[in-house]
Amino acid sequence: MRSINDIRDLTVDEINELVRLACDIIEHPAAYSEKCHGKKLATLFFEPSTHTRLSFEAAMYELGGNVLGFSEAQSSSAAKGESVADTARTVGCYADIIAMRHPKEGAPYVASQHAGVPVINAGDGGHNHPTQTLADLLTIYREKGGFENLTVGLCGDLKFGRTVHSLINALARYKNVKFVLISPEELKVPSYVKKDVIQKNNLPYVQTTDLEAAIPELDILYMTRVQRERFFNEEDYLRLKDSYILDPKKLVNAKEDLCIMHPLPRVNEISVAIDQDPRACYFKQVLNGKYMRMALMLKLLELA
Amino acid sequence: MRVDAIQNGIVIDHITAGRGMQLYDLLGLKDLDCPVALMMNAVSGKMGRKDIIKIDADIQVDLDVIGYVDPGATVNFIRNGSLVEKRNIEMPKMLTNVIRCKNPRCITSVEQELDHVFRLTDAPNKIYRCIYCETKAK
Ligand SMILES: [Zn+2]
């Protein structure tokens, strides 16, 4: 039984196939509207994440299937002390596929060892969130026509931002990708990502603290939120959270076809003034996320 | 100093000097009731100094633990006072319940019954990572 815990669980060929399938769903939605008829998705959200849960649920409904689950640990058997393994084994008796979000790293992997049905990691603490990366990849594909020959700027919290690490991991497998890593000193990409992924694949990269100066050469600008809970003290958070706000002024020298992305929710790191700019792609990312979750569930259920 | 030759048991030889104690702990040798000798800083022709552990009983030791602590060690199996097998040790690909994940965000920190499993992810640099959270073993 195949599960997806990490974006690296998928080969380049498999990602390309998921992208192809998602594009086909977008073009022929009616052809897929009953594909999951009679199937049930369980969304086991041990911590709330409205965006991700709604995306999974909408994806399953659009495939003609049904959804059950819970949206926070307090309303689940975990509140009574049940182990992840037992929850997975139990839910595997009801559902055909599971999407699990959990505050502890590795919990969805544990679930995948016991569920007997495919388990999709819908975010495990600061660790993995592969369907976010799939949404990012589909967005890049649809906006840029592929994954090669791109200069990708990543901005904000590059230290704790798992979506950033995961996207770097995914893009590092393609040709001629250059990374521009834009962050305050305190939130630089960890050395294991730099060494084990970027340098290992001999990819060019630059590290900078200056967002505005970096923008002109970028094909993609991936903004991230600087999260309060990642900081040990409030002062550091307040000092840094506003350092990297994207506004129309900073975009003056940007490319005409720049693609601005963000995993959402945003706080204020992208000014709402940019929402009307055709280069803003973050709400397209949300839509693409639903299509990629549809494609992924179809593949894991062996229905496409 | 002289440690009696053993009749039936195991001699872990060529342990890098200084690692004998760690190996003694991780193998749980303090819990055995048979004679165990830990010799530290023994003179070795090849290595200058080395540690040696002698266990005077026919027990099973976890070779993965030895491979993790010191892949250069050799394990000699003794029967009736003579050497019956000499084994070179390799770094194990997986380590189960030898070391513990110290990441407080790891699922193993809250679920007591989970095995602590580490995978060798980078053999030249001897790096093991938790299979759940990928935290590097220290
Ligand atoms: Zn761990």
Side-chain angles (χ1 to χ4, degrees):
Chain A
M1 193 53 64
R2 181 92 190 267
S3 289
I4 298 299
N5 179 51
D6 184 321
I7 193 68
R8 290 165 292 180
D9 292 346
L10 294 162
T11 65
V12 167
D13 284 347
E14 286 170 329
I15 285 175
N16 292 343
E17 171 57 18
L18 285 171
V19 166
R20 185 205 62 77
L21 179 57
C23 290
D24 198 59
I25 294 170
I26 293 165
E27 278 177 44
H28 312 102
Y32 293 89
S33 65
E34 291 298 323
K35 283 264 186 199
C36 284
H37 181 77
K39 299 287 181 192
K40 280 169 286 180
L41 162 72
T43 50
L44 309 185
F45 277 53
F46 292 82
E47 68 177 2
S49 172
T50 317
H51 286 182
T52 307
R53 187 171 54 84
L54 294 182
S55 179
F56 269 106
E57 296 185 357
M60 185 45 103
Y61 284 128
E62 283 194 31
L63 292 168
N66 283 299
V67 174
L68 57 148
F70 53 84
S71 56
E72 53 182 335
Q74 283 73 23
S75 58
S76 78
S77 48
K80 297 182 192 133
E82 187 175 61
S83 69
V84 167
D86 282 3
T87 304
R89 207 173 284 148
T90 306
V91 175
C93 298
Y94 309 136
D96 300 286
I97 188 164
I98 294 172
M100 178 187 280
R101 185 166 189 116
H102 199 287
K104 291 293 178 183
E105 300 172 9
Y109 174 74
V110 173
S112 73
Q113 306 294 300
H114 297 94
V117 299
V119 174
I120 302 171
N121 181 351
D124 60 336
H127 184 219
N128 284 322
H129 192 5
T131 58
Q132 176 66 52
T133 308
L134 290 174
D136 299 343
L137 291 172
L138 181 60
T139 305
I140 292 171
Y141 180 84
R142 293 182 75 194
E143 299 301 315
K144 295 292 169 194
F147 303 114
E148 296 180 353
N149 308 314
L150 294 172
T151 298
V152 181
L154 300 152
C155 177
D157 177 359
L158 307 188
K159 184 173 181 185
F160 299 103
R162 64 177 170 200
T163 54
V164 167
H165 304 165
S166 182
L167 186 60
I168 291 173
N169 263 305
L171 288 175
R173 303 191 283 191
Y174 296 93
K175 284 197 196 80
N176 281 329
V177 175
K178 177 184 175 183
F179 292 106
V180 181
L181 309 169
I182 310 153
S183 74
E185 284 294 327
E186 292 87 340
L187 296 175
K188 280 182 3 192
V189 165
S191 69
Y192 65 87
V193 174
K194 215 165 64 183
K195 271 197 216 128
D196 298 353
V197 185
I198 301 178
Q199 292 172 351
K200 202 176 190 177
N201 289 289
N202 286 316
L203 295 169
Y205 73 97
V206 288
Q207 283 187 296
T208 174
T209 55
D210 191 340
L211 170 61
E212 198 165 353
I215 282 181
E217 68 162 321
L218 303 179
D219 298 306
I220 311 270
L221 173 56
Y222 196 99
M223 298 292 295
T224 60
R225 185 155 56 108
V226 174
Q227 294 185 66
R228 186 185 296 260
E229 60 265 31
R230 302 290 182 217
F231 284 86
F232 292 108
N233 75 64
E234 189 74 7
E235 261 170 65
D236 283 353
Y237 170 72
L238 292 173
R239 184 169 53 82
L240 292 170
K241 80 177 169 73
D242 292 341
S243 327
Y244 297 89
I245 294 177
L246 188 64
D247 55 27
K249 200 175 121 271
K250 290 201 182 74
L251 282 177
V252 168
N253 294 314
K255 285 187 183 173
E256 288 289 312
D257 62 348
L258 171 68
C259 168
I260 303 166
M261 299 172 66
H262 189 295
L264 303 185
R266 71 176 149 181
V267 181
N268 63 348
E269 54 279 1
I270 298 181
S271 154
V272 291
I274 288 175
D275 295 358
Q276 301 309 316
D277 191 305
R279 293 170 289 191
C281 295
Y282 29 94
F283 290 106
K284 292 181 186 172
Q285 246 171 301
V286 175
L287 194 57
N288 289 330
K290 182 190 69 181
Y291 290 126
M292 274 308 236
R293 290 179 178 104
M294 290 169 79
L296 181 63
M297 288 194 286
L298 285 172
K299 283 288 175 195
L300 295 178
L301 290 168
E302 297 175 1
L303 296 170
Chain B
M1 194 178 99
R2 176 191 147 76
V3 176
D4 290 338
I6 60 178
Q7 281 302 307
N8 288 294
I10 296 163
V11 177
I12 308 169
D13 200 356
H14 303 113
I15 303 167
T16 305
R19 291 197 190 153
M21 191 59 115
Q22 190 191 356
L23 203 47
Y24 181 88
D25 288 338
L26 283 176
L27 286 171
L29 300 182
K30 72 173 180 337
D31 301 326
L32 296 178
D33 47 18
C34 62
V36 176
L38 166 59
M39 203 191 300
M40 292 165 70
N41 280 322
V43 177
S44 160
K46 251 190 277 173
M47 308 168 70
R49 294 282 172 178
K50 65 178 181 180
D51 292 356
I52 305 169
I53 292 174
K54 294 188 180 189
I55 305 163
D56 197 355
D58 194 5
I59 60 149
Q60 292 275 332
V61 293
D62 188 343
L63 297 178
D64 285 351
V65 173
I66 303 170
Y68 169 67
V69 174
D70 198 354
T74 49
V75 180
N76 303 298
F77 297 88
I78 315 290
R79 295 278 178 290
N80 301 318
S82 55
L83 178 68
V84 291
E85 192 188 349
K86 191 183 191 92
R87 218 185 280 180
N88 291 314
I89 300 299
E90 280 172 14
M91 263 189 285
K93 300 253 179 319
M94 300 283 252
L95 275 179
T96 302
N97 295 329
V98 175
I99 41 176
R100 298 183 68 79
C101 183
K102 300 216 175 69
N103 174 7
R105 296 177 307 277
C106 181
I107 185 66
T108 56
S109 72
V110 287
E111 296 215 347
Q112 316 302 329
E113 290 181 36
L114 281 175
D115 287 335
H116 284 238
V117 185
F118 283 76
R119 184 185 290 126
L120 180 63
T121 57
D122 179 351
N125 294 308
K126 208 188 161 207
I127 290 170
Y128 284 88
R129 288 185 185 275
C130 172
I131 62 162
Y132 306 103
C133 72
E134 296 178 74
T135 297
K136 213 194 287 184
K138 289 261 157 55

